[in-house]
Amino acid sequence: MNVTTGRRPIGGRGRVRAAAAALCLFAGALTAAATGGAAPAAALTPPVSITADDLTTWQTNGIVWSMAAGDGVVYAGGTFSTLRPPGAAAGTSEQPALNFAAFDAATGAPTGCTLSFTLSSGTATVRALALSPDGKTLYAGGQFGSVNGEGVSNIAAVDTATCTPRKDFKISVSATVRALDVTADTVYLGGDFNNVGGKTRKKFAAVTTGAALLPFTADADEVARAVQVTPDGRHVALGGDFFTVNGTSSHALAVVNATTGALVKSYPGFIPDTSTVQDLTTDATGLYTANEGTGGGVFDGRIAIDLAGYQQRWRDTCLGATQAVLVHSGVLYSGSHAHDCASMGEFPDQPRKHLLAQSVDDPKLLPWFPDTNDGIGEPVGPRVMSQTDKGGHHYLWVGGEFTTVNGVRQQGLTRFADGPDTGVPWVPNVSLSTLTPGRIDVNWQTSFDTDDGELTYRIYKDGASTPVHTTTGRSVFWDRPQLRWTDTDVAVGETHSYRITASDGTNTSAKSPAQSATVAATAERYPARVLSDGASVYWRYDEGTSTFAADATGNRNNGFLRNAPAYRQTPAAVAGSSTAIGFDGTSQYAYGNTLHPAPARFSVETWVKTTTTRGGKIIGFGNVTMQNSVRYDKHVYMANDGRLVFGVYSGGYRTITTPGAYNDGKWHHVVATQGTGGTALYVDGQLRASGSSYTTSQNTPGYWRVGGDNLANWPNRPTSNFFAGQLDETAVYPTALTAAQISAHYALRTG
């Protein structure tokens, strides 16, 4: 029998799937060759062995704070009063459940075990659950005075065979119990208390399985939140808010002797004073922490510590407090509200993600991204995790404050398993290009699958049922690089259509909508000049209804189109080009997929048409993608009066402004450059403003953004951060274009 006591990992390696090499994800490095054949992707990317597909599960009407699992049963405790079936709305089909419920791990339905945890005055809550190693006793801690009418004092023991409180386990605990772990003969507890069994025990204590107080003393000065016995049983790891243990400095984390409580390893300065340890778990070689911070300089991520010597193996630096950690088959799963992992090369600041996975040997995020919302309470989403096996499958359960899972209504509880994998990858976004005569370039934005980082793409030509090309590509939700395949089996004047599918090896998306193109005999002069002058990013906005702005340079610097801008606007800015794009001035914009180092020299070029009197950012460089940046410069924006401003930040706001206005409803060619000669702003092929001393800009990495971003504190700041109007033929260059080059581009507007 595999048993989870508290949040300790169960034995065994689970189901391991054969696949390609294990994935190490790094933002900006998720690329794949798009030529030639490729081995198909696997359904899950090892070492991940749990799907991201949530299973139907009963719900609570409040917060689940604690879990324990074993022998196919999952026990959940918290602050709630009813249960309801999967899919049922709050207040419907409810049945009583006072702060406790037990569930069949394989079906998600309640078992016959019902217990009521109550308090004579105030709100009862169950904050900790732990099973004995033999699975016969469930220990519960929290703030409660009785269990099924049996008087207790914040801690209780339950016989799992009969689902009744043990009358022989009685000891008084003076305040809330927040953490439990159990061995064959000892129950370790942590919480808010200062007295256990009439004796002084500050925040941590140990009692026998018969409820006799033990000499174990590990007194702390602030709240205890986690206790975890090491696999060899010799030590106990402690986590919480504390700054001292037994009078010795050790903030938030300590390791003590399991018999005496004496310090074995202290951690002064290891975790910032602004952060705490919320949860602990172990596997055969490591101790893992879940950390939460408040205020500046916080640490919110996870730490892996080697059990041999208790030294750090790794730590991640994601922001967004971690509440729960659990290990299964070499993977550390965590519940948090992570929103910014840019400091470790992962996703930039954006809306919160609540469930993540990492190898126990490496902090890089693995491709496992189910999600919840923040929910009720603080709110922070997931609060606790547990796991068990049943019927040949392994189940990962998550409890907390959330009210949705994977975008569907589901409160308090959810669960995942090692199969089957039923999640289908997103349908690819496709764009065709005929810039080079005699061929068609098929470009597509790599898709996203919640539990697989490498997908297989199949290209179908002219309605055929057999693909003409198959390849693989790696991607995650924040980094979906562009891939390209060139069809040379075509002739000038022919029209061909293409559709693409994405597959994780088990599930295959629908085919993308058919896109057609006619093979060109000659090159279009304007885009040919943009490419020959060295553009590193070139968005032409010819995609139609998709979220994809294809990069015509072949550098895979594709863009994401946010909040459904107006596609295929005509007439376009340049004769012979197809369409432009329209932004509403409220929320629509485009951002680049690639994080770039801050360029020392650069040019930005785009065509603009507007009648707005609210201004807005046209193009710029910002540090985030899914919301307004907090570091932003190298931008062109329009003031309310229609004048154009080009600004860089270099110890202050360095701006140049055109004397004339350009919100006259006509197409205008706008180019801004910075080089050794300073900054220059050209409109319609002519220099309109310059700043010879402005030779440097903010030296922070960022993303190119078009149509909107932060403009706070900049001179002549317009009413709107977002631009209302049409844009076309946007390009970025790694050099300062010359006046002659810019004039030549403008002259080619007639084709």
Side-chain angles (χ1 to χ4, degrees):
M1 178 178 69
N2 288 328
V3 176
T4 300
T5 54
R7 288 180 285 276
R8 189 179 299 173
I10 77 164
R13 297 293 294 174
R15 184 173 71 182
V16 179
R17 302 170 185 243
L23 178 64
C24 181
L25 295 174
F26 187 86
L30 303 171
T31 59
T35 57
L44 299 175
T45 301
V48 172
S49 60
I50 301 290
T51 81
D53 309 321
D54 57 293
L55 304 173
T56 56
T57 309
W58 276 59
Q59 308 172 69
T60 66
N61 70 337
I63 300 171
V64 174
W65 290 100
S66 55
M67 281 184 175
D71 200 23
V73 178
V74 176
Y75 304 95
T79 312
F80 52 86
S81 59
T82 65
L83 303 178
R84 63 183 186 275
T92 64
S93 305
E94 293 187 334
Q95 64 184 47
L98 286 179
N99 305 309
F100 175 86
F103 302 90
D104 184 297
T107 67
T111 69
C113 178
T114 59
L115 298 169
S116 296
F117 287 76
T118 57
L119 191 64
S120 60
S121 177
T123 301
T125 184
V126 177
R127 290 299 183 101
L129 292 170
L131 272 171
S132 61
D134 61 10
K136 293 181 178 180
T137 303
L138 174 69
Y139 295 90
Q143 185 179 34
F144 48 83
S146 66
V147 182
N148 283 9
E150 183 72 28
V152 293
S153 178
N154 298 321
I155 192 169
V158 176
D159 181 271
T160 56
T162 62
C163 190
T164 57
R166 275 178 42 191
K167 296 184 179 182
D168 62 340
F169 188 91
K170 295 285 184 70
I171 190 167
S172 65
V173 182
S174 63
T176 303
V177 174
R178 298 180 181 272
L180 292 169
D181 202 5
V182 185
T183 67
D185 56 10
T186 304
V187 181
Y188 296 91
L189 56 152
D192 301 7
F193 53 82
N194 290 317
N195 188 288
V196 177
K199 300 291 182 65
T200 298
R201 292 292 189 275
K202 296 181 179 180
K203 316 308 180 191
F204 294 100
V207 301
T208 68
T209 52
L213 184 65
L214 290 168
F216 175 93
T217 301
D219 287 346
D221 60 332
E222 296 289 347
V223 172
R225 300 189 183 275
V227 291
Q228 180 69 57
V229 182
T230 57
D232 62 9
R234 297 173 55 222
H235 301 143
V236 180
L238 313 177
D241 301 4
F242 53 82
F243 291 88
T244 64
V245 175
N246 289 337
T248 299
S249 177
S250 188
H251 175 53
L253 179 67
V255 180
V256 299
N257 182 280
T259 301
T260 66
L263 267 171
V264 172
K265 174 66 175 178
S266 62
Y267 291 91
F270 184 67
I271 294 171
D273 288 354
T274 52
S275 298
T276 63
V277 170
Q278 297 289 305
D279 192 20
L280 295 166
T281 195
T282 60
D283 63 7
T285 64
L287 169 68
Y288 308 91
T289 75
N291 302 274
E292 176 182 78
T294 303
V298 301
F299 175 66
D300 278 343
R302 294 150 289 278
I303 304 174
I305 296 171
D306 287 322
L307 290 177
Y310 296 109
Q311 299 298 317
Q312 177 177 298
R313 180 187 303 166
W314 56 257
R315 73 168 63 195
D316 73 37
T317 53
C318 289
L319 294 175
T322 308
Q323 303 295 325
V325 285
L326 174 149
V327 176
H328 173 65
S329 293
V331 174
L332 179 68
Y333 296 91
S334 59
S336 70
H337 57 269
H339 60 88
D340 186 354
C341 296
S343 62
M344 52 184 285
E346 311 288 1
F347 57 84
D349 198 9
Q350 61 168 341
R352 295 172 167 184
K353 296 293 180 181
H354 297 86
L355 294 168
L356 300 175
Q358 297 157 289
S359 166
V360 296
D361 298 317
D362 190 331
K364 293 299 178 185
L365 298 183
L366 295 170
W368 187 77
F369 301 109
D371 203 11
T372 72
N373 65 351
D374 290 342
I376 60 177
E378 286 191 29
V380 298
R383 285 287 190 178
V384 63
M385 293 178 158
S386 197
Q387 58 183 339
T388 189
D389 290 349
K390 187 171 185 181
H393 283 287
H394 186 77
Y395 294 92
L396 166 63
W397 280 65
V398 180
E401 301 177 340
F402 50 85
T403 57
T404 68
V405 178
N406 287 340
V408 177
R409 184 174 60 200
Q410 175 70 25
Q411 184 170 357
L413 290 165
T414 191
R415 63 197 178 102
F416 306 91
D418 54 3
D421 180 14
T422 59
V424 179
W426 292 357
V427 176
N429 293 322
V430 181
S431 177
L432 307 180
S433 173
T434 57
L435 292 181
T436 302
R439 74 185 202 187
I440 297 176
D441 291 323
V442 182
N443 305 290
W444 70 98
Q445 184 181 39
T446 45
S447 298
F448 173 62
D449 187 74
T450 53
D451 48 28
D452 197 349
E454 183 164 313
L455 301 175
T456 297
Y457 300 92
R458 295 179 176 89
I459 303 177
Y460 298 85
K461 180 179 177 181
D462 295 334
S465 59
T466 301
V468 293
H469 183 72
T470 299
T471 190
T472 59
R474 290 185 174 181
S475 56
V476 285
F477 66 87
W478 72 93
D479 190 8
R480 295 167 55 199
Q482 176 179 322
L483 298 182
R484 171 182 286 184
W485 173 71
T486 299
D487 189 358
T488 56
D489 187 19
V490 295
V492 170
E494 292 180 350
T495 298
H496 297 279
S497 66
Y498 303 85
R499 304 178 75 181
I500 302 180
T501 62
S503 175
D504 63 8
T506 299
N507 309 286
T508 300
S509 74
K511 291 179 180 177
S512 62
Q515 301 286 338
S516 299
T518 301
V519 182
T522 59
E524 293 180 53
R525 295 178 65 195
Y526 182 89
R529 185 61 187 262
V530 169
L531 294 174
S532 67
D533 282 341
S536 55
V537 179
Y538 185 17
W539 300 340
R540 306 198 69 207
Y541 308 119
D542 297 335
E543 286 67 39
T545 55
S546 82
T547 61
F548 175 42
D551 180 14
T553 70
N555 293 325
R556 296 198 290 262
N557 291 322
N558 57 289
F560 288 75
L561 303 174
R562 289 276 292 160
N563 301 319
Y567 304 102
R568 292 184 174 169
Q569 300 291 288
T570 57
V574 176
S577 65
S578 50
T579 61
I581 195 164
F583 296 106
D584 64 3
T586 302
S587 63
Q588 297 169 347
Y589 64 98
Y591 67 86
N593 180 76
T594 305
L595 178 69
H596 295 276
R601 306 287 177 260
F602 67 92
S603 300
V604 292
E605 175 181 39
T606 195
W607 288 79
V608 178
K609 183 168 74 170
T610 185
T611 58
T612 185
T613 57
R614 301 178 70 248
K617 183 172 290 191
I618 295 169
I619 184 170
F621 198 67
N623 70 313
V624 298
T625 58
M626 301 287 282
Q627 54 201 36
N628 279 349
S629 298
V630 294
R631 293 188 297 275
Y632 41 95
D633 79 329
K634 294 178 262 298
H635 48 209
V636 177
Y637 56 95
M638 182 172 281
N640 288 346
D641 61 7
R643 292 183 300 154
L644 295 171
V645 182
F646 174 38
V648 295
Y649 187 86
S650 178
Y653 304 107
R654 316 301 185 192
T655 61
I656 54 177
T657 305
T658 63
Y662 297 95
N663 56 346
D664 55 5
K666 300 177 182 179
W667 279 114
H668 294 285
H669 181 237
V670 179
V671 181
T673 71
Q674 184 177 43
T676 56
T679 57
L681 180 56
Y682 296 80
V683 182
D684 296 338
Q686 299 296 315
L687 179 65
R688 306 296 183 182
S690 62
S692 60
S693 62
Y694 303 160
T695 58
T696 61
S697 62
Q698 188 167 223
N699 188 24
T700 56
Y703 302 84
W704 290 109
R705 295 186 44 154
V706 174
D709 199 2
N710 208 346
L711 285 168
N713 301 317
W714 279 79
N716 296 312
R717 182 188 181 184
T719 301
S720 176
N721 286 330
F722 293 86
F723 179 75
Q726 294 181 9
L727 299 175
D728 201 4
E729 305 289 332
T730 300
V732 179
Y733 303 80
T735 60
L737 294 178
T738 66
Q741 288 173 312
I742 294 166
S743 178
H745 289 201
Y746 179 65
L748 291 172
R749 67 193 182 281
T750 61

